[in-house]
Amino acid sequence: MGSGIEEGLFLRRRHFIAAGLAGAFAGMASAASPATVLVVGDSLSAEYGLQRGTGWVPLLEKKLVAEKVPARVVNASISGDTTSGGRSRLASLLTQHQPSVVVLELGGNDALRGLPLDMTRANLAAMTEAAKRAGARVLLLGMQLPPNYGADYGRKFAGLYEQVAREQQAALVPFFLKGVADIADPTKLFQADRIHPNEQAQATMLANVWPELRKLLK
């Protein structure tokens, strides 16, 4: 009988040790697995007119390494994209990449095309909801329009980002191009088309994003 009791105790100890090791290895794997930052944007994030590797998103990748933040970046930005386009492809991106954070940089092309503000707002809200349902935190990159679009339209356009962020409890960068498009002579920070920021502007754009993004990666 004694040997049976001892054998039972031995088996239980072995079970507990194995379970403990499995838990430890699972914790190590989890800790080693980096967070994924999914950027869904338009030409401002797709390096339009720039040498590859010089846009704010590649600069973000370097920033994460320098700051020793365990995260990788997936840039799913497409030049010319609208909020409708981003909304139509977001579900597959969420499934494929399972991001921890989704950065939404869309809406500028909606305004350039004169699309209804209510539609832009609805699309941004739907994308934010979808990302949150998938377990991701969301960062909205707000935009503002040049004065020639009219003060009222410009105010309402800028305000829709604030509204979506407030209603969806998402993080917000109020103006993605702060320090780029609102300086005394912005032409020096834009390409010849005066629409797309040049390489010199990319570090400022990242500096606008980084403080809010860093909070979401903690």
Side-chain angles (χ1 to χ4, degrees):
M1 180 178 293
S3 61
I5 293 174
E6 290 175 358
E7 182 178 356
L9 290 172
F10 172 76
L11 291 174
R12 282 198 291 273
R13 286 197 199 97
R14 189 170 65 177
H15 171 75
F16 290 142
I17 292 171
L21 288 173
F25 283 128
M28 289 171 62
S30 176
S33 179
T36 296
V37 178
L38 174 65
V39 180
V40 184
D42 51 34
S43 56
L44 297 182
S45 300
E47 293 189 299
Y48 178 90
L50 302 175
Q51 182 179 350
R52 295 287 78 86
T54 62
W56 79 268
V57 179
L59 293 181
L60 169 62
E61 294 177 312
K62 296 176 183 178
K63 181 75 170 178
L64 291 169
V65 172
E67 297 285 337
K68 298 181 180 180
V69 178
R72 70 185 187 102
V73 180
V74 175
N75 192 358
S77 302
I78 298 176
S79 292
D81 205 8
T82 61
T83 57
S84 294
R87 181 177 181 177
S88 68
R89 59 195 179 91
L90 182 61
S92 62
L93 291 171
L94 293 172
T95 299
Q96 179 181 356
H97 300 292
Q98 299 181 4
S100 308
V101 177
V102 174
V103 179
L104 295 177
E105 182 275 299
L106 289 170
N109 288 315
D110 293 41
L112 291 175
R113 299 180 185 187
L115 300 178
L117 294 178
D118 286 344
M119 183 182 73
T120 299
R121 181 168 49 248
N123 286 336
L124 288 173
M127 284 188 283
T128 302
E129 289 178 358
K132 289 170 60 180
R133 283 198 304 272
R137 297 177 178 179
V138 179
L139 175 59
L140 291 165
L141 303 189
M143 287 296 296
Q144 295 179 15
L145 298 175
N148 58 297
Y149 278 79
D152 185 58
Y153 185 84
R155 184 172 59 254
K156 290 179 179 178
F157 178 77
L160 68 85
Y161 292 94
E162 298 174 2
Q163 180 180 347
V164 172
R166 182 176 63 254
E167 293 176 350
Q168 299 296 327
Q169 296 184 324
L172 172 68
V173 173
F175 187 25
F176 180 37
L177 297 184
K178 182 177 176 59
V180 176
D182 58 353
I183 62 176
D185 181 17
T187 58
K188 66 181 182 181
L189 294 179
F190 280 82
Q191 299 176 40
D193 60 12
R194 298 192 177 187
I195 296 176
H196 298 93
N198 59 25
E199 184 176 330
Q200 185 181 347
Q202 302 303 308
T204 300
M205 294 160 66
L206 173 58
N208 291 335
V209 175
W210 178 247
E212 293 301 323
L213 179 59
R214 184 69 182 89
K215 295 175 187 176
L216 300 182
L217 289 170
K218 289 182 177 180

